[in-house]
Amino acid sequence: MTPLPYRVIAKRAETADTVTLTLSPVSAAIPEPEPGQFTMMYAFGIGEVPISVSRTRPVLEQTIRAVGAVTEALCGMEAGQVIGLRGPFGIGWDIDEARGRDLVLAAGGIGLAPLRPAVLRALSQRDAYGRIAVLVGTRTPDDLLFEEELGEWRARGAQVEVTVDRPGPGWAGHVGLITNLVGSADVDPSEAGAYLCGPEIMMRLTAQALVGRGMHAGRVRLSLERNMRCGIGWCGHCQLGSLLICRDGPVMPYEHAAALMTVKEL
């Protein structure tokens, strides 16, 4: 429960309201997170928030969107300043379970940040997987995360497709919902695993589209988001039905989460 001090060693602006911080331990370090896990990031004197890890190695990176007092403070950090970290917490993507299969990784908006470590892990072990399709949906081209990396992922053998809700001048890519990209994923659905992160409605509809193409629901995993406070299942703020997302998630099979996601405001 005690945050460990981490120094910001680099800061990169991703969009107008989103930054990536590269962090280094001041003394003791938290265990290396698995792709899909999160930490509790503490802005001293303000508070802490759960933030998914966007890179696990060779450096620790976390990507933060400014949406409140704590996240605004974290986004305002500069190199040399110190924050607190607790964790890592939760269940990760476990893409090792999908070795030998095709992969679909579908992200909506900031959801690409928690999926980035899984993409990097799969590409670093390229021969262990079949075809890899990365599907990204975002509001506008200006809201796209890790834009420079997407070309690198393509060069390393991934199919990367991006769609936007509102195209800007010069945009020549896809326009519309991310579910429209599911049919273009160059994978064998019956032998693939899928990993989804984004708004709940995006994950629900994308999971339904994948299952509709023939993917087994038990091979579709998604990352749920709730108001996490303690990270260890004590406070109950992240309860979803009988689950505590910080303890039983955030990643879980779609077949377990499907019924819960259909209940409004659960």
Side-chain angles (χ1 to χ4, degrees):
M1 294 296 290
T2 302
L4 296 178
Y6 269 68
R7 194 175 308 279
V8 178
I9 60 174
K11 175 183 178 179
R12 180 176 67 253
E14 303 290 351
T15 70
D17 62 359
T18 305
V19 304
T20 294
L21 300 181
T22 304
L23 304 170
S24 178
V26 173
S27 52
I30 65 172
E32 180 180 313
E34 287 297 314
Q37 288 189 302
F38 67 95
T39 71
M40 298 297 295
M41 298 187 72
Y42 185 69
F44 291 105
I46 300 175
E48 65 177 0
V49 288
I51 301 291
S52 295
V53 175
S54 59
R55 183 187 287 271
T56 61
R57 60 177 70 165
V59 294
L60 175 64
E61 290 186 346
Q62 301 204 237
T63 300
I64 308 133
R65 174 167 290 166
V67 293
V70 182
T71 50
E72 287 177 1
L74 292 170
C75 286
M77 293 288 174
E78 300 294 341
Q81 292 186 278
V82 175
I83 66 167
L85 281 190
R86 294 195 293 119
F89 299 119
I91 296 171
W93 296 113
D94 190 19
I95 66 165
D96 290 343
E97 187 273 336
R99 292 172 72 91
R101 300 196 193 107
D102 294 347
L103 300 179
V104 177
L105 303 104
I110 193 81
L112 186 57
L115 279 170
R116 182 184 180 219
V119 174
L120 296 175
R121 176 75 62 88
L123 291 177
S124 71
Q125 303 172 3
R126 189 64 192 86
D127 293 342
Y129 300 93
R131 292 164 289 187
I132 300 174
V134 181
L135 313 179
V136 182
T138 187
R139 289 174 296 180
T140 72
D142 290 338
D143 293 311
L144 183 60
L145 298 181
F146 316 125
E147 186 172 7
E148 295 182 359
E149 284 189 35
L150 301 185
E152 298 175 12
W153 296 355
R154 291 186 182 100
R156 295 171 67 182
Q159 175 194 5
V160 180
E161 304 288 347
V162 179
T163 187
V164 300
D165 295 335
R166 302 190 301 274
W171 177 256
H174 300 283
V175 178
L177 299 176
I178 192 173
T179 50
N180 296 338
L181 299 179
V182 170
S184 66
D186 183 22
V187 299
D188 178 358
S190 66
E191 294 296 332
Y195 304 85
L196 318 180
C197 190
E200 282 195 8
I201 188 170
M202 165 261 161
M203 292 192 292
R204 178 163 52 85
L205 295 178
T206 303
Q208 290 173 353
L210 289 165
V211 172
R213 277 196 64 188
M215 188 175 293
H216 190 281
R219 291 181 181 169
V220 179
R221 298 189 180 185
L222 41 82
S223 182
L224 299 178
E225 182 179 356
R226 285 295 183 274
N227 183 18
M228 297 181 229
R229 295 287 182 86
C230 70
I232 54 176
W234 284 0
C235 72
H237 279 86
C238 65
Q239 184 173 2
L240 178 65
S242 62
L243 305 176
L244 293 173
I245 299 303
C246 70
R247 181 193 67 193
D248 304 315
V251 176
M252 63 181 59
Y254 171 63
E255 61 181 358
H256 295 166
L260 298 172
M261 294 174 70
T262 62
V263 182
K264 187 177 181 179
E265 297 184 355
L266 180 61

